[in-house]
Amino acid sequence: MAAMPNDAPIAPSPETTTPKTPTAAEIEQEKEQSRRAAAKARGIAVKAAGASDDALINPVASIWPPPYYFEDDLRRVRPYHWTYNTYCKERWRGRSLIEIFESEFRDRPVEYYRKSMETGDIFVNGIKVGPDYVLRNGDLISHTLHRHEPPVTSDPVGIIHEDDDMIVINKPSGVPVHPAGRYKFNSVLEIMKAERGQQFMPYPCNRLDRLTSGIMFVAKSVKAAEALGNQIKSRTVRKEYMARVVGEFPEGEVVCDQPILSISPKLGLNRVRAEGKTARTVFKRLAYYPPRDSAATNGQPEAPEPTNEELSRLPTEAGDESNGKPWINKRGYSIVRCLPVTGRTHQIRVHLQYLGHPIQNDPIYANQRVWGFNLGRDDADGTVNTDEDVISRLSRMGKEEVAQAVVYYDEMVDKYEKKRAEKMTGEVCEICATPLYSDPGMHELSLWLHSLRYEDAGGAWSYKSPLPKWALPPEGMAGPTTVGGMEELVEAVKDENPEIMG
């Protein structure tokens, strides 16, 4: 649900250490105080406890400053109460409240939603209506809940350039741009607002997925955002990404023109399909690094063996990690430059998958349990794996089963990350009985895809971010540490896309 909280602020003190968890009584008192304060501001009387079911319910007041604290190299948020608001969608009309939450809001068990409707934590038009209420056009559905945000990396939002109109940032991986889903304060825009003050109003001009790192533009006004947005839409802005992919990517410029279709907007799932939208990406290999066991035979010094500390973190259970994993036989990995000429969702990830060199730690497009034995390669007509099969497999991957990235170049890292990936712990919150998750693993905080560079095709401006650590040569091996200009990539499509020449 889209969050539209009230404006009345509460100002908890910022935390730098693990905070004391408030008691249920303290939380209930805080909620009641918030309801009364909000009602007073509107000139509405709040009925005392025990009032009739048609008593007006007021949302919990918004929070400022965000209750951040840092621990174990993660930015964490102290659990807090929050009220979501959303208007009835057309597809919800004529359906019961409990049916909507059971089918579309599956973050918590249906029993939780039913109880919340009975107690009034989920309400409609400011009134407790119960789970069997039938939704109508214009209804405002509200949900007050105890929020547990997932932690994100403690890496800062880096500033590459700033002037009176625009901020060019280096977005850390694993942090969503906008508040969405389980994330509110642990988002790029909210972190920037916390650093710059409540009055700061950011206007993002380009979009990066949560797991993707690198260059983003955040305007300081609507006018500046629209100006850059229009320039990006006209394709006179050139973008370059870096990706770390499975196996030895071909040399030279590789142009992928395969159309891309969204097969499940709800899951954010896309694939190459003939009836999809036109898409074009230019790829060029920057470096190839063979696996450790064959490094010496390829003229490279052997990488060092894992340390005792690294080995001690491995799961104790035995098993053949390569069993049923044909991608492990793809030797080594490549660092690849990517120039997306069009801007389809997941375009680079989908095109690399189709070419047989998916991003190594991509939890969706490099997952054999979703895409089958060949990971979707050369299956543009969907005959090897139908859309329905792919959607069904991805939907079944619950939180109790780690949605692992299955093509790690290093089996030791693979096993370690599967062990510590975010999943349900079996514990519940003492206040709201929400199932608690363990901390996320590295592959849930990072995707080896980085927005390296944005530049005006006419040469008016250019911004470049540092190479991420995963794109640099591994310890004990030689390789490039810088990236040249975009001329070779642009040359490969100048005839089909002359606008990219400037």
Side-chain angles (χ1 to χ4, degrees), residues 23 37 44 54 57 89 126 139 151 156 174 189 216 231 392 422 456:
T23 66
I44 301 171
D54 62 353
I57 302 172
K89 302 182 187 301
D139 280 346
L189 300 186
M216 269 197 65
Q231 192 176 359
S392 175
E422 184 190 24
D456 172 62

Side-chain angles (χ1 to χ4, degrees), residues 84 158 239 244:
Y84 290 95
K239 301 171 281 187
R244 176 167 155 171

Side-chain angles (χ1 to χ4, degrees), residues 292 304-314 412 475:
R292 298 182 184 202
E305 289 298 313
T307 65
N308 290 333
E309 179 188 0
E310 290 171 326
L311 291 172
S312 71
R313 296 181 294 191
L314 294 179
M412 182 201 72
E475 186 176 351

Side-chain angles (χ1 to χ4, degrees), residues 140 343 361:
L140 177 65
N361 68 340

Side-chain angles (χ1 to χ4, degrees), residues 234-267:
S234 67
R235 298 187 187 175
T236 59
V237 174
R238 301 195 291 227
K239 301 171 281 187
E240 181 179 0
Y241 288 72
M242 301 299 297
R244 176 167 155 171
V245 307
V246 176
E248 186 172 2
F249 197 84
E251 292 185 324
E253 290 75 34
V254 176
V255 180
C256 185
D257 284 323
Q258 293 295 328
I260 293 176
L261 178 70
S262 174
I263 62 173
S264 174
K266 181 178 179 180
L267 295 174

Side-chain angles (χ1 to χ4, degrees), residues 207-230:
R207 178 182 175 274
L208 289 180
D209 292 334
R210 177 176 68 87
L211 294 176
T212 306
S213 59
I215 283 192
M216 269 197 65
F217 293 84
V218 179
K220 296 181 179 180
S221 67
V222 174
K223 182 179 179 181
E226 289 178 345
L228 182 58
N230 291 335

